[in-house]
Amino acid sequence: MKKIFMVSILILTAGLLFANGSNDASNAAPTVKADEPITLEYWMWDPNFAEQQQAMSDRYEAMHPNVTINLTALDPKSYWTKLAAMAATKQMPDVFNMHPNSVEDFVDQGALLDLTDMIKKDFNKEDYFWSVMDSSFGVKGRYYGVPFAWVGSVMYYNKDLFDKYGVEYPKAGWTWDDFLAKAKALTKDLDGDGKTDLWGYGVFSRYAVYDGWILQNDGDYLNREKLTFEPNNNAKEAIKFLYDLANTYKVSPHPKDYDLDKKKIKLIFQQEKAAMISEGSWNIKYMRQDMPADFDWDIAYFPRGPHWKADTMHAWADGISIPASSKHPEAAWDFIKFVLQRPADDYYPGKVPFYKKEALSDAWDDFKSKGVPPEHKTIILKYGENAKHFYTKYWKFWRGYASAEGSGLSEFIDASLNGEITLDEFYKNADREANKMLNKAYR
Amino acid sequence: MRYKWYLPYLFILLAMVGLFVFRLGPLFFAGGMSFTDWSMFGSPGWVGLENYIEFVKDPTFWKIVWHTISFSLIFVPIILFGSLILAVLLNQGIPGTTTFRAMYFAPVVTSTVAVGIVWRWIFGADVGMLNFLLRTLGIESPPSWLSDRQFSLVVVALVFAWKRLGYYMIIYLAGLQDIPRTMYEAARIDGAGALAIFRKITLPLITPTMFFVMIMALVDSFKNFDIVYTMTRGGPGTASTTLAYYIYQHAFELFQMGQAASLSMFLLVIVGGISVLNFVYKSRWVNTQG
Amino acid sequence: MSKSKKIILYTLLVLIAIVNVFPFYWMLSISLQPLKAVYAYPPQFYPKHPTLDNYRQIFVKYNFFRFTINSLFIATIAALGQLFTCSIAGFAFARMKFRGKELLFGLILATIMVPLEVVIIPEFLLMGKLGWINTYLPMIVPSFLIGTTGVFLMRSFYENVPKELEEAAVVDGASPFMIYWRIFIPVSRASLSALFIISFLINWNAFLRPLIYLNSKKLYTLTLGLISFVGEFSALWNFLLAGAVVSVVPIFTVYLLMQRQFIEGITSTGVKG
């Protein structure tokens, strides 16, 4: 009995500690024959779209019997943490969604496969919105990801409320003055208790809500040469305008009064507490399906500021990458090409296919083909022409995103919109905190 | 009992593997890491004291240390006295005690995540239940609790105290039940009032338990990662970021393993100080807790 | 006790009970309402048109049943492991003589208060090296092996077991392991079940380890399932709170059935972790 016990305890201990020593050996066999069974781990960041992705993977599997696609859909808040954790332990998925907000971080760590040669070999530039590829996944002249779609920030407005209060819909080329007049006309105290119940516009610090304003005044808050936070005068004008919307004209609520975050901004629109909000174009899906609005709505460009020069859109691509350590780069690449060719119907509503044929099809313009809102969905197509974004290394941390949503620049934007700090304090704090991170990123 | 010299070592082997591989090993490893610039992907480079110096010079770091201390300053007194009050009330031996005890204990078995979710809803700025009550009571614009930098940390600490009160109540109850009934009866015969009995008998005899509870609550108050993560994620801004959360952020979001390790050393020093305090005074509570 | 005193006492007890129970009531109430009613202002104190639709939806969209099984599995194995590790080590520390005993026991005591956050980073790297990420092992193995409080508790218990019990067995020629297994384990049944319940509770509610170690949804524990639910549906509070209710029900059942062990567990271990 004693001996059995001693032996078993030793085995248990040894097993616990060394059981996985064999792991490395199995990792060291990269050569794969043509129809040897292959399993591709595929990670995406939107569980709300997992069913469609799964259907697509199933189709691919049917065409390639030796390939199994294992789909993991993580919520966007934990996606990047998990992905980096897997990178640290050298167990990255074989194919995964990549975003320009992180691509530099990952390239910097040597975690992504350089796809330049494969892209040049297999892609015909004219068939795709190529500028989006360059601006979103080009790092020092090499490509580390392929866009499957691109997106941008837009203004959403509640047509029923505009009708009800006799306000004209936004027109192409509308200006800040037009916007302010409409917002004022739509800010109402409905029950007469001296407090606003309907706001003309809802805004808070989120990049997709806020940053589009700056570009439509020909502004920039980054010094693109030195890669520092350094808002120019046009950007400052936009920041002041947004500050005034909440604190001077009072057509936007203080973000804290509604605990505004990326979900609640949509909710105040959906519940008709705000007649206009700005958000990413991918929220068309949310407005249509996840929490359908029971009113008529549409989208518009951000209005033009006094220093507007040309319509400049806050837009970027969602893409797919392969890890540098991939065991099956060819199989992964083949799968990516398949993903890119899928029909427009299959796309996330509000995201524009990278593949022009699908993007320009009637199927994608589903207002035309099926009559579903928004009527002006095709305005997003023009975003490909003059798109800009603010992504850099460490962007999530100095700008404030995902698990750090309320920190970085976001903290001070919200504090200023809440009227807790003045604009001078905002610039001082933002300069200190954002540049601390940016200096770390590029030192 | 007769046995070979090595047998006891086999008996403690599993515990020792746990101790050395998952406790002491990581502890020393973290200490070593704190002198490097290890990022999650790359390989580490020695940077000496740079991480520490950077934090000490950074006002944000001191803000976060202050949040950590504030959290304890709110949490510990509530636990120390709140759970004592609960225990004293339940120790009166009146009918229904078991039911009340079960209700007071319910938050303890609930996961912090579930607790955080429901309280976040109650503390909601616009449609939250609490602000509805406050507005009904005539308070025009109640605070936006969790989105307000003045309140978020306080609210989180209060909710955590709410969750943990029942646990310490049980410890106090055990301590109270060790006080002989006869002492109370004698005092009552002498005509002492309830307050006098509490002051003259309960309090002195419960003091060792109180000390124990204070130490435990202090240590507990640093384990605030779960509640901060679920309720505010350290926000707004860094208003409710504590050291435990800051470590997580640096390690698993910024991927600065070296810096995170040096932060964890700061936390270790604080907890270590309390442990020493506990060790020095342990003889005072160990008897009542046997 | 006088009548007025009793009234005051009961009033206090009930008021405190309301503060303790209301959040649970609120959780349940909202989980039975459609979203529109949830966001209605002023809030409705009880569901006017209760529906189980939220529960149906979350079980369709989200495999809460699987999460429950996962949590149950992890917490049970980890707690059982801790019982074994702690009791056998506690036995050795209490009843056997060996070199370095005081030192080793002192080391165990010294680490009793170290928060997980301090060691989690090296632990994470270790788990990565072992290839244990995205398995249950990181949730089980450390809890299995670390039982600082448990060792302390079992040692103090075994020190007080009368010498005669042990000697009778020695006369019968029993080995130390037999003595531990046949005599000490049975006499410490109450302590062990208390230790089990506390360790089970801690592992059941554990959050940080699942958060950083688990990726595949099919492995998620209840706490992690619930928090990722927040990430995905955070505006859908009716779903969220239905999820919270589902996560609370199993442990409440265990608690109501085993109240005595819970309380013994706390009073005897005193320390969490």
Side-chain angles (χ1 to χ4, degrees):
Chain A
M1 180 68 195
K2 194 169 93 187
K3 268 190 192 141
I4 295 173
F5 162 68
M6 277 163 46
V7 169
S8 61
I9 209 168
L10 275 174
I11 290 174
L12 187 59
T13 318
L16 285 174
L17 290 176
F18 308 112
N20 284 269
S22 57
N23 232 16
D24 296 63
S26 62
N27 282 351
T31 43
V32 176
K33 280 185 214 123
D35 19 348
E36 202 171 304
I38 294 175
T39 303
L40 292 179
E41 294 288 335
Y42 176 30
W43 278 24
M44 58 176 290
W45 60 60
D46 199 333
N48 287 321
F49 206 61
E51 276 166 44
Q52 290 87 333
Q53 291 291 75
Q54 187 62 53
M56 188 187 65
S57 307
D58 292 346
R59 279 205 306 280
Y60 186 81
E61 283 175 354
M63 290 161 59
H64 303 80
N66 64 320
V67 181
T68 314
I69 311 279
N70 260 346
L71 179 71
T72 300
L74 292 157
D75 74 282
K77 275 191 174 148
S78 52
Y79 181 81
W80 299 105
T81 306
K82 299 263 181 217
L83 195 60
M86 296 312 268
T89 55
K90 308 270 182 288
Q91 302 174 47
M92 281 178 110
D94 304 281
V95 190
F96 49 88
N97 285 10
M98 184 39 72
H99 196 279
N101 73 24
S102 298
V103 71
E104 263 193 87
D105 296 332
F106 279 81
V107 169
D108 210 39
Q109 305 290 351
L112 301 184
L113 190 67
D114 182 343
L115 302 175
T116 318
D117 297 339
M118 296 199 233
I119 289 171
K120 285 195 175 143
K121 192 171 123 264
D122 290 353
F123 283 72
N124 185 4
K125 276 192 184 188
E126 280 69 46
D127 294 344
Y128 299 90
F129 292 97
W130 205 258
S131 67
V132 179
M133 165 92 95
D134 285 327
S135 69
S136 290
F137 293 108
V139 180
K140 295 185 186 117
R142 311 294 293 177
Y143 298 124
Y144 293 92
V146 191
F148 56 85
W150 47 279
V151 292
S153 317
V154 293
M155 187 72 72
Y156 292 80
Y157 62 97
N158 182 327
K159 286 169 95 171
D160 288 9
L161 285 174
F162 273 66
D163 290 343
K164 188 170 168 190
Y165 297 107
V167 183
E168 248 184 90
Y169 300 151
K171 280 200 286 270
W174 63 326
T175 63
W176 286 4
D177 291 337
D178 300 337
F179 171 85
L180 186 57
K182 291 184 204 303
K184 278 180 175 164
L186 288 159
T187 301
K188 302 274 177 197
D189 170 15
L190 299 173
D191 52 10
D193 66 350
K195 280 195 213 127
T196 304
D197 314 294
L198 172 63
W199 297 91
Y201 175 60
V203 64
F204 79 111
S205 58
R206 182 169 151 81
Y207 71 108
V209 176
Y210 192 90
D211 293 3
W213 285 96
I214 289 164
L215 297 177
Q216 280 291 65
N217 195 36
D218 197 35
D220 199 339
Y221 58 62
L222 287 179
N223 178 330
R224 306 268 168 173
E225 302 272 293
K226 290 192 281 181
L227 290 164
T228 51
F229 176 79
E230 203 181 304
N232 58 21
N233 286 334
N234 291 349
K236 285 185 173 170
E237 196 173 19
I239 291 167
K240 167 92 167 60
F241 182 67
L242 291 162
Y243 175 86
D244 286 339
L245 289 180
N247 294 303
T248 311
Y249 309 121
K250 300 195 189 304
V251 295
S252 289
H254 292 311
K256 67 174 184 182
D257 290 347
Y258 290 88
D259 294 326
L260 287 187
D261 61 16
K262 70 181 242 193
K263 299 287 165 105
K264 285 213 75 180
I265 187 82
K266 289 178 270 191
L267 213 64
I268 60 168
F269 181 70
Q270 193 251 4
Q271 295 178 333
E272 311 205 20
K273 287 176 186 164
M276 293 183 273
I277 60 159
S278 42
E279 244 297 357
S281 58
W282 59 93
N283 288 295
I284 288 174
K285 171 180 183 291
Y286 179 92
M287 308 283 183
R288 278 184 189 170
Q289 300 167 8
D290 301 348
M291 290 179 77
D294 47 14
F295 48 81
D296 200 10
W297 55 278
D298 201 353
I299 59 171
Y301 286 134
F302 279 73
R304 296 170 177 178
H307 290 92
W308 173 90
K309 283 217 183 82
D311 273 338
T312 313
M313 302 306 167
H314 185 221
W316 58 92
D318 287 347
I320 318 181
S321 293
I322 301 174
S325 58
S326 175
K327 278 171 271 169
H328 313 293
E330 292 87 9
W333 180 246
D334 193 62
F335 178 65
I336 290 179
K337 282 191 289 185
F338 173 80
V339 171
L340 256 62
Q341 305 290 335
R342 72 186 137 152
D345 268 340
D346 226 27
Y347 267 85
Y348 200 104
K351 295 192 178 184
V352 185
F354 179 52
Y355 188 38
K356 272 188 181 165
K357 192 176 137 258
E358 294 301 333
L360 302 175
S361 70
D362 281 356
W364 189 78
D365 183 5
D366 38 17
F367 181 78
K368 199 166 149 197
S369 53
K370 288 184 209 128
V372 284
E375 187 181 342
H376 291 96
K377 188 178 164 194
T378 47
I379 63 165
I380 318 169
L381 287 175
K382 284 207 191 127
Y383 277 35
E385 286 162 19
N386 195 7
K388 224 172 158 178
H389 60 66
F390 298 90
Y391 303 122
T392 67
K393 247 161 89 176
Y394 282 21
W395 176 82
K396 292 196 214 68
F397 312 110
W398 66 261
R399 183 61 183 80
Y401 177 72
S403 323
E405 186 175 77
S407 54
L409 199 52
S410 289
E411 173 179 5
F412 306 112
I413 293 178
D414 280 334
S416 76
L417 294 174
N418 281 332
E420 292 162 345
I421 57 172
T422 63
L423 280 178
D424 285 342
E425 287 167 317
F426 164 75
Y427 288 120
K428 216 178 79 209
N429 288 322
D431 176 69
R432 188 188 68 234
E433 289 300 319
N435 282 328
K436 189 170 82 187
M437 271 299 167
L438 280 164
N439 286 339
K440 244 184 210 175
Y442 291 102
R443 80 179 153 196
Chain B
M1 211 170 8
R2 295 163 63 95
Y3 42 84
K4 293 261 173 32
W5 65 270
Y6 55 78
L7 192 72
Y9 297 103
L10 280 181
F11 274 41
I12 61 167
L13 185 63
L14 285 176
M16 286 301 119
V17 171
L19 176 69
F20 286 103
V21 177
F22 293 107
R23 278 282 149 121
L24 287 177
L27 216 55
F28 282 105
F29 199 76
M33 278 173 79
S34 70
F35 300 108
T36 71
D37 61 356
W38 205 340
S39 81
M40 204 181 240
F41 315 85
S43 44
W46 187 263
V47 294
L49 285 170
E50 196 188 299
N51 292 332
Y52 291 98
I53 292 167
E54 229 175 84
F55 280 124
V56 171
K57 283 204 293 207
D58 183 359
T60 314
F61 169 75
W62 289 109
K63 232 168 74 187
I64 279 147
V65 171
W66 172 239
H67 294 159
T68 311
I69 296 169
S70 312
F71 192 100
S72 306
L73 288 180
I74 300 163
F75 178 81
V76 175
I78 295 178
I79 292 293
L80 197 57
F81 301 106
S83 46
L84 178 59
I85 293 170
L86 295 191
V88 169
L89 291 179
L90 285 185
N91 200 38
Q92 304 299 319
I94 57 168
T97 300
T98 334
T99 317
F100 282 116
R101 194 184 60 190
M103 285 197 257
Y104 297 176
F105 194 70
V108 179
V109 295
T110 313
S111 69
T112 311
V113 177
V115 166
I117 287 175
V118 68
W119 279 103
R120 231 171 81 187
W121 182 244
I122 293 173
F123 276 107
D126 48 343
V127 290
M129 179 48 109
L130 180 70
N131 278 359
F132 166 71
L133 290 177
L134 291 176
R135 286 190 198 106
T136 317
L137 293 174
I139 295 166
E140 285 271 313
S141 16
S144 310
W145 303 103
L146 294 168
S147 305
D148 192 315
R149 54 184 64 216
Q150 311 236 344
F151 292 102
S152 62
L153 184 74
V154 179
V155 170
V156 173
L158 285 177
V159 169
F160 195 50
W162 175 83
K163 176 179 157 50
R164 300 292 297 161
L165 268 173
Y167 180 87
Y168 294 97
M169 170 191 80
I170 300 287
I171 293 177
Y172 271 129
L173 269 174
L176 288 175
Q177 272 148 21
D178 284 346
I179 302 174
R181 291 254 157 219
T182 47
M183 291 186 73
Y184 288 116
E185 277 151 27
R188 233 170 261 138
I189 290 164
D190 291 348
L195 263 182
I197 292 179
F198 180 77
R199 248 196 15 243
K200 293 265 165 64
I201 300 175
T202 314
L203 212 50
L205 287 172
I206 205 76
T207 308
T209 314
M210 279 183 89
F211 185 78
F212 172 77
V213 166
M214 189 183 79
I215 296 287
M216 287 304 118
L218 258 173
V219 175
D220 219 8
S221 72
F222 296 113
K223 297 180 180 165
N224 50 36
F225 171 79
D226 298 10
I227 193 75
V228 170
Y229 187 97
T230 23
M231 287 194 76
T232 62
R233 287 186 186 250
T238 50
S240 60
T241 302
T242 59
L243 262 179
Y245 192 76
Y246 209 45
I247 293 172
Y248 168 83
Q249 261 190 343
H250 269 79
F252 298 101
E253 280 165 11
L254 284 167
F255 316 124
Q256 299 297 330
M257 295 305 211
Q259 290 183 9
S262 53
L263 285 173
S264 70
M265 289 300 115
F266 283 105
L267 185 57
L268 184 68
V269 166
I270 298 177
V271 179
I274 296 165
S275 301
V276 170
L277 198 71
N278 172 37
F279 191 73
V280 171
Y281 289 96
K282 208 171 80 200
S283 53
R284 288 175 61 174
W285 59 261
V286 88
N287 300 332
T288 51
Q289 289 305 318
Chain C
M1 207 180 300
S2 70
K3 204 168 175 195
S4 62
K5 261 190 201 157
K6 255 192 187 152
I7 291 172
I8 295 173
L9 188 59
Y10 273 113
T11 319
L12 277 175
L13 287 171
V14 168
L15 281 178
I16 298 168
I18 290 174
V19 177
N20 272 286
V21 173
F22 176 76
F24 295 104
Y25 167 73
W26 203 228
M27 206 185 262
L28 187 68
S29 161
I30 287 175
S31 74
L32 296 171
Q33 300 179 49
L35 190 68
K36 266 241 152 67
V38 169
Y39 276 102
Y41 191 86
Q44 298 171 357
F45 277 89
Y46 60 94
K48 292 221 169 68
H49 307 284
T51 163
L52 286 175
D53 194 51
N54 301 325
Y55 289 93
R56 200 175 48 79
Q57 291 260 18
I58 64 164
F59 274 101
V60 171
K61 285 192 177 159
Y62 240 72
N63 202 345
F64 266 91
F65 181 70
R66 176 69 201 252
F67 299 163
T68 313
I69 300 291
N70 292 344
S71 282
L72 205 60
F73 176 77
I74 290 172
T76 309
I77 300 284
L80 280 178
Q82 214 176 85
L83 282 195
F84 179 66
T85 307
C86 294
S87 61
I88 194 162
F91 174 79
F93 280 119
R95 310 303 290 228
M96 294 166 107
K97 286 198 190 80
F98 52 97
R99 286 180 67 162
K101 181 165 130 176
E102 295 308 314
L103 176 71
L104 291 175
F105 190 70
L107 281 177
I108 288 182
L109 277 189
T111 58
I112 213 162
M113 286 178 181
V114 176
L116 180 58
E117 284 81 3
V118 174
V119 291
I120 194 70
I121 298 160
E123 186 190 289
F124 178 83
L125 296 171
L126 175 68
M127 296 298 176
K129 274 263 180 302
L130 293 170
W132 288 1
I133 308 261
N134 205 24
T135 68
Y136 290 147
L137 291 169
M139 265 65 64
I140 294 175
V141 176
S143 311
F144 195 116
L145 298 174
I146 304 173
T148 36
T149 358
V151 175
F152 181 68
L153 172 77
M154 294 320 292
R155 187 189 80 143
S156 0
F157 185 86
Y158 289 147
E159 271 174 346
N160 296 325
V161 172
K163 197 111 184 102
E164 294 76 42
L165 267 179
E166 184 190 316
E167 275 159 5
V170 171
V171 172
D172 291 347
S175 68
F177 183 74
M178 296 310 288
I179 295 172
Y180 155 74
W181 192 251
R182 289 271 166 82
I183 296 170
F184 279 70
I185 288 282
V187 298
S188 59
R189 212 177 289 138
S191 291
L192 287 174
S193 58
L195 183 61
F196 177 82
I197 214 81
I198 289 304
S199 155
F200 180 87
L201 182 64
I202 288 167
N203 285 295
W204 174 271
N205 286 335
F207 176 59
L208 181 56
R209 282 201 180 108
L211 176 71
I212 62 171
Y213 291 124
L214 294 179
N215 302 322
S216 310
K217 215 160 254 172
K218 59 179 195 289
L219 299 180
Y220 276 17
T221 62
L222 263 180
T223 46
L224 188 60
L226 199 55
I227 201 75
S228 74
F229 207 66
V230 177
E232 290 171 35
F233 304 101
S234 73
L236 306 176
W237 276 90
N238 50 339
F239 282 15
L240 271 189
L241 291 165
V245 170
V246 172
S247 81
V248 162
V249 166
I251 193 79
F252 265 30
T253 317
V254 176
Y255 164 59
L256 289 176
L257 292 175
M258 307 184 70
Q259 264 196 72
R260 199 172 48 81
Q261 281 85 349
F262 269 89
I263 286 162
E264 261 166 33
I266 288 175
T267 44
S268 55
T269 57
V271 199
K272 180 189 168 202

